Amino acid sequence: MIRALDVATSLAATLARAGTGVQTGTLGARPSLTLELYEFEACPYCRKVREALSVLDLDADVYPCPKRGPRFRAEVHRRGGKLQFPWLVDPNAGIEMYESDAIVSYLFERYGDGRVPLALSLGPLTDLSAQLASLWRPGFGAFYRPARAPERPLELWSFEASPFCRIAREALCALELPYRLHNVAKGSPKRAEFVRRSGRMMVPYLFDPNTGKEMFESAEIVRYLDQTYAVRA
Ligand SMILES: N[C@@H](CCC(=O)N[C@@H](CS)C(=O)NCC(=O)O)C(=O)O
């Protein structure tokens, strides 16, 4: 896609959700073990959960489950009993759950102040706007593209409302590359540490421990992932 159109449609997705996930909210208890999220970028219900993670400044090990993906979908089916996304695992509480609204409420209850922000608590309106966000990016981050599995999960610094981060996450998702998602929305206490590591406050930022490569710039990330992991017939 032409770069300007790519960014414009990704920005439209952010606007459809009124920028939810740009800013952290009230933070509560912090998990000692990292949460695990099975999802795919194009799924509107998964977006709601990713927004909640950004607002709550929670990191997560993301296992992308694009349609036709051979790896993590099967795991969700085996462990949870059905193929439905998002699926959250919280090893701190021994919880494994489906249903975006239930997951969002759980996250704010356990890791926030118990109050779900308005943009995530409007029921059908929340769902509709999340669906609209996905409509701006038809097919992106929805379907598996053959790729080789990395030995170690990648790491991505991101926040949900960033249109550039979405472009990077779509590529990780389509290639079914698992990654540690470091959420650093505005207000995140993790930003200072991130800047110490990366040199400046800009996301997306990808680190691939398999090759030692680190980079900013969504277009460069997409190119790198494609060249490093995509398998052509
Ligand atoms: N009510 C559920 C709906 C979840 C849902 O319908 N997810 C779709 C993806 S957007 C799904 O799992 N589809 C099955 C598939 O992708 O195989 C929720 O809010 O979590």
Side-chain angles (χ1 to χ4, degrees):
M1 199 193 280
I2 305 160
R3 174 77 177 156
L5 190 58
D6 213 17
V7 174
T9 51
S10 197
L11 178 62
T14 295
L15 295 177
R17 288 292 300 139
T20 311
V22 73
Q23 177 80 47
T24 56
T26 307
L27 308 184
R30 301 290 84 189
S32 16
L33 301 171
T34 308
L35 306 179
E36 297 166 28
L37 180 63
Y38 291 73
E39 56 94 60
F40 59 97
E41 185 65 31
C43 165
Y45 308 101
C46 303
R47 181 180 180 108
K48 288 158 57 183
V49 174
R50 296 194 309 264
E51 286 176 356
L53 293 175
S54 274
V55 172
L56 291 168
D57 199 46
L58 293 169
D59 292 353
D61 286 330
V62 175
Y63 297 94
C65 298
K67 289 179 191 295
R68 301 193 288 266
R71 298 173 63 204
F72 304 123
R73 283 196 156 233
E75 193 175 331
V76 172
H77 194 245
R78 183 176 54 77
R79 288 172 60 184
K82 58 180 173 177
L83 264 188
Q84 184 180 296
F85 307 93
W87 191 60
L88 179 85
V89 177
D90 184 350
N92 303 283
I95 275 175
E96 302 182 341
M97 64 199 297
Y98 292 104
E99 290 299 331
S100 56
D101 284 338
I103 295 172
V104 167
S105 297
Y106 166 76
L107 290 173
F108 280 95
E109 197 56 54
R110 187 165 175 117
Y111 299 115
D113 62 1
R115 281 177 303 182
V116 177
L118 188 67
L120 280 164
S121 60
L122 295 173
L125 260 185
T126 298
D127 287 352
L128 201 67
S129 55
Q131 284 157 6
L132 190 61
S134 294
L135 282 179
W136 280 106
R137 304 282 299 161
F140 286 79
F143 300 103
Y144 176 66
R145 286 182 55 213
R148 66 184 181 82
E151 255 174 50
R152 296 165 62 193
L154 282 64
E155 294 188 55
L156 182 76
W157 282 260
S158 166
F159 59 89
E160 185 58 27
S162 158
F164 303 103
C165 294
R166 179 179 176 114
I167 291 169
R169 291 193 311 264
E170 285 170 349
L172 286 160
C173 179
L175 297 169
E176 217 185 26
L177 302 172
Y179 61 99
R180 168 74 51 94
L181 173 66
H182 300 278
N183 274 309
V184 285
K186 293 179 199 308
S188 166
K190 302 200 298 283
R191 279 193 162 205
E193 186 197 327
F194 170 60
V195 171
R196 267 196 299 279
R197 180 201 171 113
S198 70
R200 64 182 153 147
M201 187 54 241
M202 193 169 96
V203 287
Y205 182 73
L206 180 83
F207 170 57
D208 185 347
N210 303 288
T211 60
K213 287 267 175 12
E214 324 200 9
M215 68 199 72
F216 292 104
E217 293 299 334
S218 54
E220 196 185 330
I221 291 172
V222 170
R223 202 165 32 246
Y224 167 78
L225 294 175
D226 185 67
Q227 285 168 359
T228 311
Y229 292 106
V231 173
R232 278 156 192 93

mmCIF file of all heavy atoms in Angstrom, residues 80-111:
data_model
loop_
_atom_site.group_PDB
_atom_site.id
_atom_site.type_symbol
_atom_site.label_atom_id
_atom_site.label_comp_id
_atom_site.label_asym_id
_atom_site.label_seq_id
_atom_site.Cartn_x
_atom_site.Cartn_y
_atom_site.Cartn_z
ATOM 1 N N GLY A 80 -8.482 -23.860 25.766
ATOM 2 C CA GLY A 80 -9.709 -23.148 26.164
ATOM 3 C C GLY A 80 -10.987 -23.837 25.731
ATOM 4 O O GLY A 80 -12.056 -23.553 26.258
ATOM 5 N N GLY A 81 -10.871 -24.704 24.725
ATOM 6 C CA GLY A 81 -12.042 -25.467 24.297
ATOM 7 C C GLY A 81 -12.746 -24.903 23.085
ATOM 8 O O GLY A 81 -13.587 -25.558 22.499
ATOM 9 N N LYS A 82 -12.433 -23.678 22.692
ATOM 10 C CA LYS A 82 -13.063 -23.148 21.466
ATOM 11 C C LYS A 82 -12.143 -22.144 20.784
ATOM 12 O O LYS A 82 -11.242 -21.574 21.425
ATOM 13 C CB LYS A 82 -14.423 -22.524 21.767
ATOM 14 C CG LYS A 82 -14.405 -21.403 22.769
ATOM 15 C CD LYS A 82 -15.805 -20.842 23.017
ATOM 16 C CE LYS A 82 -15.763 -19.840 24.164
ATOM 17 N NZ LYS A 82 -17.029 -19.199 24.424
ATOM 18 N N LEU A 83 -12.424 -21.934 19.514
ATOM 19 C CA LEU A 83 -11.637 -20.980 18.726
ATOM 20 C C LEU A 83 -12.313 -19.632 18.787
ATOM 21 O O LEU A 83 -13.153 -19.302 17.958
ATOM 22 C CB LEU A 83 -11.572 -21.449 17.277
ATOM 23 C CG LEU A 83 -10.341 -22.251 16.847
ATOM 24 C CD1 LEU A 83 -10.355 -22.465 15.354
ATOM 25 C CD2 LEU A 83 -9.041 -21.582 17.279
ATOM 26 N N GLN A 84 -11.985 -18.863 19.780
ATOM 27 C CA GLN A 84 -12.560 -17.523 19.909
ATOM 28 C C GLN A 84 -11.499 -16.598 20.486
ATOM 29 O O GLN A 84 -10.757 -16.980 21.394
ATOM 30 C CB GLN A 84 -13.788 -17.557 20.818
ATOM 31 C CG GLN A 84 -14.484 -16.201 20.899
ATOM 32 C CD GLN A 84 -15.707 -16.236 21.795
ATOM 33 O OE1 GLN A 84 -16.677 -16.919 21.517
ATOM 34 N NE2 GLN A 84 -15.646 -15.491 22.889
ATOM 35 N N PHE A 85 -11.458 -15.400 19.934
ATOM 36 C CA PHE A 85 -10.436 -14.436 20.347
ATOM 37 C C PHE A 85 -11.101 -13.124 20.702
ATOM 38 O O PHE A 85 -12.117 -12.784 20.089
ATOM 39 C CB PHE A 85 -9.427 -14.246 19.196
ATOM 40 C CG PHE A 85 -8.890 -15.574 18.735
ATOM 41 C CD1 PHE A 85 -9.498 -16.240 17.670
ATOM 42 C CD2 PHE A 85 -7.841 -16.175 19.396
ATOM 43 C CE1 PHE A 85 -9.053 -17.494 17.280
ATOM 44 C CE2 PHE A 85 -7.390 -17.429 19.003
ATOM 45 C CZ PHE A 85 -8.000 -18.087 17.937
ATOM 46 N N PRO A 86 -10.581 -12.417 21.689
ATOM 47 C CA PRO A 86 -9.339 -12.624 22.432
ATOM 48 C C PRO A 86 -9.463 -13.740 23.471
ATOM 49 O O PRO A 86 -10.565 -14.063 23.921
ATOM 50 C CB PRO A 86 -9.145 -11.271 23.134
ATOM 51 C CG PRO A 86 -10.556 -10.793 23.361
ATOM 52 C CD PRO A 86 -11.320 -11.234 22.141
ATOM 53 N N TRP A 87 -8.294 -14.251 23.856
ATOM 54 C CA TRP A 87 -8.212 -15.218 24.953
ATOM 55 C C TRP A 87 -7.059 -14.761 25.839
ATOM 56 O O TRP A 87 -5.931 -14.607 25.356
ATOM 57 C CB TRP A 87 -7.952 -16.626 24.408
ATOM 58 C CG TRP A 87 -8.104 -17.711 25.435
ATOM 59 C CD1 TRP A 87 -9.238 -18.013 26.146
ATOM 60 C CD2 TRP A 87 -7.108 -18.649 25.854
ATOM 61 N NE1 TRP A 87 -9.001 -19.096 26.977
ATOM 62 C CE2 TRP A 87 -7.704 -19.502 26.818
ATOM 63 C CE3 TRP A 87 -5.777 -18.866 25.514
ATOM 64 C CZ2 TRP A 87 -7.016 -20.534 27.437
ATOM 65 C CZ3 TRP A 87 -5.093 -19.899 26.124
ATOM 66 C CH2 TRP A 87 -5.709 -20.728 27.074
ATOM 67 N N LEU A 88 -7.364 -14.504 27.096
ATOM 68 C CA LEU A 88 -6.352 -13.969 28.020
ATOM 69 C C LEU A 88 -5.953 -15.024 29.041
ATOM 70 O O LEU A 88 -6.811 -15.731 29.581
ATOM 71 C CB LEU A 88 -6.905 -12.749 28.774
ATOM 72 C CG LEU A 88 -5.920 -12.141 29.783
ATOM 73 C CD1 LEU A 88 -4.976 -11.154 29.102
ATOM 74 C CD2 LEU A 88 -6.641 -11.447 30.939
ATOM 75 N N VAL A 89 -4.660 -15.090 29.292
ATOM 76 C CA VAL A 89 -4.150 -15.948 30.357
ATOM 77 C C VAL A 89 -3.456 -15.033 31.366
ATOM 78 O O VAL A 89 -2.585 -14.250 30.991
ATOM 79 C CB VAL A 89 -3.139 -16.981 29.805
ATOM 80 C CG1 VAL A 89 -2.556 -17.817 30.944
ATOM 81 C CG2 VAL A 89 -3.800 -17.875 28.759
ATOM 82 N N ASP A 90 -3.890 -15.112 32.617
ATOM 83 C CA ASP A 90 -3.204 -14.381 33.679
ATOM 84 C C ASP A 90 -2.626 -15.397 34.653
ATOM 85 O O ASP A 90 -3.331 -15.921 35.523
ATOM 86 C CB ASP A 90 -4.165 -13.440 34.410
ATOM 87 C CG ASP A 90 -3.410 -12.606 35.450
ATOM 88 O OD1 ASP A 90 -2.226 -12.913 35.711
ATOM 89 O OD2 ASP A 90 -3.999 -11.656 35.998
ATOM 90 N N PRO A 91 -1.317 -15.674 34.510
ATOM 91 C CA PRO A 91 -0.694 -16.696 35.363
ATOM 92 C C PRO A 91 -0.642 -16.259 36.829
ATOM 93 O O PRO A 91 -0.441 -17.102 37.708
ATOM 94 C CB PRO A 91 0.716 -16.854 34.775
ATOM 95 C CG PRO A 91 0.964 -15.618 33.998
ATOM 96 C CD PRO A 91 -0.367 -15.062 33.580
ATOM 97 N N ASN A 92 -0.835 -14.981 37.103
ATOM 98 C CA ASN A 92 -0.823 -14.492 38.489
ATOM 99 C C ASN A 92 -2.059 -14.947 39.251
ATOM 100 O O ASN A 92 -2.039 -15.055 40.478
ATOM 101 C CB ASN A 92 -0.765 -12.958 38.511
ATOM 102 C CG ASN A 92 0.428 -12.443 37.756
ATOM 103 O OD1 ASN A 92 1.541 -12.493 38.264
ATOM 104 N ND2 ASN A 92 0.226 -11.992 36.523
ATOM 105 N N ALA A 93 -3.127 -15.155 38.513
ATOM 106 C CA ALA A 93 -4.390 -15.521 39.163
ATOM 107 C C ALA A 93 -4.879 -16.885 38.712
ATOM 108 O O ALA A 93 -5.959 -17.319 39.128
ATOM 109 C CB ALA A 93 -5.442 -14.458 38.834
ATOM 110 N N GLY A 94 -4.098 -17.545 37.865
ATOM 111 C CA GLY A 94 -4.523 -18.846 37.337
ATOM 112 C C GLY A 94 -5.779 -18.734 36.492
ATOM 113 O O GLY A 94 -6.610 -19.624 36.474
ATOM 114 N N ILE A 95 -5.891 -17.591 35.799
ATOM 115 C CA ILE A 95 -7.130 -17.336 35.031
ATOM 116 C C ILE A 95 -6.880 -17.474 33.532
ATOM 117 O O ILE A 95 -5.849 -17.025 33.010
ATOM 118 C CB ILE A 95 -7.653 -15.924 35.374
ATOM 119 C CG1 ILE A 95 -8.505 -15.995 36.625
ATOM 120 C CG2 ILE A 95 -8.451 -15.318 34.227
ATOM 121 C CD1 ILE A 95 -8.972 -14.670 37.124
ATOM 122 N N GLU A 96 -7.806 -18.121 32.854
ATOM 123 C CA GLU A 96 -7.796 -18.179 31.389
ATOM 124 C C GLU A 96 -9.206 -17.798 30.961
ATOM 125 O O GLU A 96 -10.170 -18.423 31.409
ATOM 126 C CB GLU A 96 -7.494 -19.591 30.903
ATOM 127 C CG GLU A 96 -6.157 -20.129 31.417
ATOM 128 C CD GLU A 96 -5.810 -21.518 30.896
ATOM 129 O OE1 GLU A 96 -6.725 -22.234 30.432
ATOM 130 O OE2 GLU A 96 -4.633 -21.870 30.958
ATOM 131 N N MET A 97 -9.346 -16.764 30.143
ATOM 132 C CA MET A 97 -10.709 -16.332 29.828
ATOM 133 C C MET A 97 -10.934 -15.839 28.409
ATOM 134 O O MET A 97 -10.047 -15.254 27.791
ATOM 135 C CB MET A 97 -11.207 -15.309 30.845
ATOM 136 C CG MET A 97 -10.470 -14.003 30.885
ATOM 137 S SD MET A 97 -10.755 -13.093 32.441
ATOM 138 C CE MET A 97 -12.491 -12.796 32.372
ATOM 139 N N TYR A 98 -12.152 -16.062 27.928
ATOM 140 C CA TYR A 98 -12.657 -15.516 26.664
ATOM 141 C C TYR A 98 -13.511 -14.288 27.007
ATOM 142 O O TYR A 98 -13.678 -13.948 28.168
ATOM 143 C CB TYR A 98 -13.559 -16.535 25.966
ATOM 144 C CG TYR A 98 -12.877 -17.773 25.445
ATOM 145 C CD1 TYR A 98 -12.986 -18.992 26.097
ATOM 146 C CD2 TYR A 98 -12.146 -17.736 24.257
ATOM 147 C CE1 TYR A 98 -12.388 -20.144 25.593
ATOM 148 C CE2 TYR A 98 -11.547 -18.883 23.737
ATOM 149 C CZ TYR A 98 -11.672 -20.080 24.409
ATOM 150 O OH TYR A 98 -11.090 -21.220 23.908
ATOM 151 N N GLU A 99 -14.067 -13.673 25.992
ATOM 152 C CA GLU A 99 -15.028 -12.571 26.085
ATOM 153 C C GLU A 99 -14.364 -11.242 26.456
ATOM 154 O O GLU A 99 -13.983 -11.005 27.597
ATOM 155 C CB GLU A 99 -16.171 -12.872 27.060
ATOM 156 C CG GLU A 99 -17.140 -13.936 26.567
ATOM 157 C CD GLU A 99 -17.836 -13.542 25.248
ATOM 158 O OE1 GLU A 99 -18.016 -12.356 24.992
ATOM 159 O OE2 GLU A 99 -18.172 -14.461 24.481
ATOM 160 N N SER A 100 -14.304 -10.355 25.446
ATOM 161 C CA SER A 100 -13.598 -9.091 25.629
ATOM 162 C C SER A 100 -14.126 -8.260 26.802
ATOM 163 O O SER A 100 -13.337 -7.717 27.578
ATOM 164 C CB SER A 100 -13.649 -8.277 24.336
ATOM 165 O OG SER A 100 -14.983 -8.082 23.914
ATOM 166 N N ASP A 101 -15.449 -8.180 26.949
ATOM 167 C CA ASP A 101 -15.984 -7.341 28.035
ATOM 168 C C ASP A 101 -15.598 -7.904 29.403
ATOM 169 O O ASP A 101 -15.251 -7.143 30.321
ATOM 170 C CB ASP A 101 -17.516 -7.224 27.936
ATOM 171 C CG ASP A 101 -17.924 -6.264 26.831
ATOM 172 O OD1 ASP A 101 -17.094 -5.407 26.451
ATOM 173 O OD2 ASP A 101 -19.049 -6.376 26.317
ATOM 174 N N ALA A 102 -15.629 -9.222 29.502
ATOM 175 C CA ALA A 102 -15.250 -9.854 30.770
ATOM 176 C C ALA A 102 -13.762 -9.634 31.037
ATOM 177 O O ALA A 102 -13.349 -9.340 32.171
ATOM 178 C CB ALA A 102 -15.573 -11.345 30.726
ATOM 179 N N ILE A 103 -12.962 -9.740 29.989
ATOM 180 C CA ILE A 103 -11.510 -9.546 30.146
ATOM 181 C C ILE A 103 -11.211 -8.107 30.560
ATOM 182 O O ILE A 103 -10.438 -7.852 31.485
ATOM 183 C CB ILE A 103 -10.771 -9.900 28.829
ATOM 184 C CG1 ILE A 103 -10.932 -11.389 28.510
ATOM 185 C CG2 ILE A 103 -9.300 -9.535 28.928
ATOM 186 C CD1 ILE A 103 -10.399 -11.810 27.134
ATOM 187 N N VAL A 104 -11.857 -7.152 29.860
ATOM 188 C CA VAL A 104 -11.623 -5.732 30.154
ATOM 189 C C VAL A 104 -12.012 -5.436 31.618
ATOM 190 O O VAL A 104 -11.253 -4.807 32.370
ATOM 191 C CB VAL A 104 -12.396 -4.828 29.165
ATOM 192 C CG1 VAL A 104 -12.434 -3.382 29.634
ATOM 193 C CG2 VAL A 104 -11.762 -4.911 27.768
ATOM 194 N N SER A 105 -13.178 -5.905 32.036
ATOM 195 C CA SER A 105 -13.606 -5.670 33.432
ATOM 196 C C SER A 105 -12.619 -6.289 34.407
ATOM 197 O O SER A 105 -12.230 -5.667 35.414
ATOM 198 C CB SER A 105 -14.974 -6.305 33.703
ATOM 199 O OG SER A 105 -15.916 -5.697 32.908
ATOM 200 N N TYR A 106 -12.188 -7.502 34.099
ATOM 201 C CA TYR A 106 -11.235 -8.191 34.971
ATOM 202 C C TYR A 106 -9.939 -7.377 35.114
ATOM 203 O O TYR A 106 -9.429 -7.180 36.216
ATOM 204 C CB TYR A 106 -10.933 -9.586 34.408
ATOM 205 C CG TYR A 106 -9.736 -10.224 35.052
ATOM 206 C CD1 TYR A 106 -9.822 -10.760 36.340
ATOM 207 C CD2 TYR A 106 -8.497 -10.249 34.402
ATOM 208 C CE1 TYR A 106 -8.699 -11.315 36.955
ATOM 209 C CE2 TYR A 106 -7.390 -10.802 35.006
ATOM 210 C CZ TYR A 106 -7.495 -11.336 36.277
ATOM 211 O OH TYR A 106 -6.380 -11.863 36.888
ATOM 212 N N LEU A 107 -9.439 -6.891 33.973
ATOM 213 C CA LEU A 107 -8.168 -6.163 33.998
ATOM 214 C C LEU A 107 -8.269 -4.889 34.837
ATOM 215 O O LEU A 107 -7.389 -4.575 35.640
ATOM 216 C CB LEU A 107 -7.725 -5.833 32.563
ATOM 217 C CG LEU A 107 -7.271 -7.024 31.709
ATOM 218 C CD1 LEU A 107 -7.023 -6.597 30.259
ATOM 219 C CD2 LEU A 107 -6.003 -7.667 32.291
ATOM 220 N N PHE A 108 -9.389 -4.140 34.662
ATOM 221 C CA PHE A 108 -9.525 -2.898 35.431
ATOM 222 C C PHE A 108 -9.754 -3.185 36.913
ATOM 223 O O PHE A 108 -9.331 -2.414 37.779
ATOM 224 C CB PHE A 108 -10.615 -2.000 34.837
ATOM 225 C CG PHE A 108 -10.112 -1.240 33.648
ATOM 226 C CD1 PHE A 108 -10.314 -1.716 32.363
ATOM 227 C CD2 PHE A 108 -9.384 -0.061 33.813
ATOM 228 C CE1 PHE A 108 -9.811 -1.046 31.264
ATOM 229 C CE2 PHE A 108 -8.877 0.627 32.716
ATOM 230 C CZ PHE A 108 -9.094 0.124 31.428
ATOM 231 N N GLU A 109 -10.421 -4.277 37.176
ATOM 232 C CA GLU A 109 -10.658 -4.670 38.573
ATOM 233 C C GLU A 109 -9.346 -5.026 39.255
ATOM 234 O O GLU A 109 -9.053 -4.564 40.352
ATOM 235 C CB GLU A 109 -11.611 -5.888 38.569
ATOM 236 C CG GLU A 109 -12.288 -6.209 39.883
ATOM 237 C CD GLU A 109 -13.072 -5.038 40.454
ATOM 238 O OE1 GLU A 109 -13.939 -4.462 39.764
ATOM 239 O OE2 GLU A 109 -12.767 -4.699 41.617
ATOM 240 N N ARG A 110 -8.538 -5.818 38.570
ATOM 241 C CA ARG A 110 -7.328 -6.348 39.209
ATOM 242 C C ARG A 110 -6.135 -5.398 39.099
ATOM 243 O O ARG A 110 -5.315 -5.320 40.016
ATOM 244 C CB ARG A 110 -6.978 -7.698 38.588
ATOM 245 C CG ARG A 110 -5.824 -8.357 39.333
ATOM 246 C CD ARG A 110 -5.643 -9.809 39.022
ATOM 247 N NE ARG A 110 -4.441 -10.280 39.700
ATOM 248 C CZ ARG A 110 -4.427 -11.204 40.637
ATOM 249 N NH1 ARG A 110 -5.541 -11.774 41.004
ATOM 250 N NH2 ARG A 110 -3.291 -11.572 41.202
ATOM 251 N N TYR A 111 -6.035 -4.669 37.975
ATOM 252 C CA TYR A 111 -4.827 -3.870 37.748
ATOM 253 C C TYR A 111 -5.099 -2.373 37.599
ATOM 254 O O TYR A 111 -4.209 -1.614 37.251
ATOM 255 C CB TYR A 111 -4.092 -4.400 36.510
ATOM 256 C CG TYR A 111 -3.662 -5.841 36.678
ATOM 257 C CD1 TYR A 111 -4.180 -6.866 35.881
ATOM 258 C CD2 TYR A 111 -2.738 -6.194 37.670
ATOM 259 C CE1 TYR A 111 -3.798 -8.182 36.062
ATOM 260 C CE2 TYR A 111 -2.345 -7.510 37.855
ATOM 261 C CZ TYR A 111 -2.888 -8.504 37.045
ATOM 262 O OH TYR A 111 -2.504 -9.814 37.232
#
